[in-house]
Amino acid sequence: MPIRTNRGRAAVYRKLWAWPLRSPRHLMIAVFGLAVLAIATGFVVPRAASPLAGRVPQAPAVTLSNGVVVTGSANVPGAGAARGPAPSSTSAVPRVTLPPPSPAAPAPEALAVAEAWARAWVNHPAGMTNDEWTAQLVPLTTEEFLPQLRTVDPANIPSTAVIGKAEVITASARAVDVKIATDGAQLRLTVIATDTGWRVSAFDRAD
């Protein structure tokens, strides 16, 4: 006979909740039953969800020029070309190494400019200003190197005369490194070919 009153239902619920507390045996049976129920639930729920998790979204259909429709990840002629190649993060960047200039016989004009530059460098009579001293070097020097020469005080130059010829250190078709001895220091000059002729682009000295 069904229970039709709230009071009757409450009495039944009280009996159910009180049953595990009637004895240690009842309590053990209730705990064991709950454990079996929890284990069964742990097996059933992942299996029910696994079909959804294993699904892979299908690739969109591709219609070829001949009317054939292809779906999925099959190799489709022309499809990869439309998308373009996938970028590779591991592809090595090629290095371009320029070969060193080929050795060549030094141009006589380069040696002549180097010796003329050395004679102008040692020409600094007492009282000569930097502007006067630099003016001698302007026709023989590149525009990029002139600002460095304008910082030189001619009074600090130890040499007053060139005592040797230009000796070639290295030479190529477009650049020549030479050394020239003076009475106060040995000069090392780099002479390069420019649109206006050979010009000194770098200078060093060994006192």
Side-chain angles (χ1 to χ4, degrees), residues 115-159:
E115 292 176 356
W117 195 96
R119 288 193 297 269
W121 186 78
V122 300
N123 182 29
H124 52 88
M128 175 177 278
T129 65
N130 175 271
D131 291 339
E132 295 170 339
W133 177 76
T134 306
Q136 305 175 106
L137 301 170
V138 168
L140 307 169
T141 309
T142 61
E143 292 290 337
E144 295 77 13
F145 186 41
L146 282 176
Q148 182 176 343
L149 295 178
R150 291 192 173 98
T151 64
V152 176
D153 184 358
N156 294 331
I157 297 176
S159 304

Side-chain angles (χ1 to χ4, degrees), residues 10-172:
V12 172
Y13 294 155
R14 281 197 300 272
K15 289 182 180 181
L16 291 176
W17 287 111
W19 183 83
L21 303 177
R22 290 182 179 179
S23 66
R25 181 181 178 184
H26 287 188
L27 181 61
M28 292 179 63
I29 293 174
V31 172
F32 180 76
L34 292 175
V36 172
L37 180 61
I39 294 174
T41 302
F43 278 102
V44 172
V45 172
R47 289 184 179 180
S50 60
L52 297 177
R55 290 182 182 177
V56 178
Q58 293 290 335
V62 178
T63 303
L64 303 182
S65 58
N66 56 4
V68 178
V69 178
V70 181
T71 60
S73 58
N75 292 328
V76 180
R83 291 191 300 269
S88 175
S89 60
T90 59
S91 59
V93 178
R95 291 186 176 182
V96 179
T97 302
L98 297 178
S102 301
E109 296 84 354
L111 300 182
V113 167
E115 292 176 356
W117 195 96
R119 288 193 297 269
W121 186 78
V122 300
N123 182 29
H124 52 88
M128 175 177 278
T129 65
N130 175 271
D131 291 339
E132 295 170 339
W133 177 76
T134 306
Q136 305 175 106
L137 301 170
V138 168
L140 307 169
T141 309
T142 61
E143 292 290 337
E144 295 77 13
F145 186 41
L146 282 176
Q148 182 176 343
L149 295 178
R150 291 192 173 98
T151 64
V152 176
D153 184 358
N156 294 331
I157 297 176
S159 304
T160 58
V162 174
I163 59 175
K165 295 289 186 179
E167 300 180 22
V168 178
I169 302 173
T170 59
S172 65

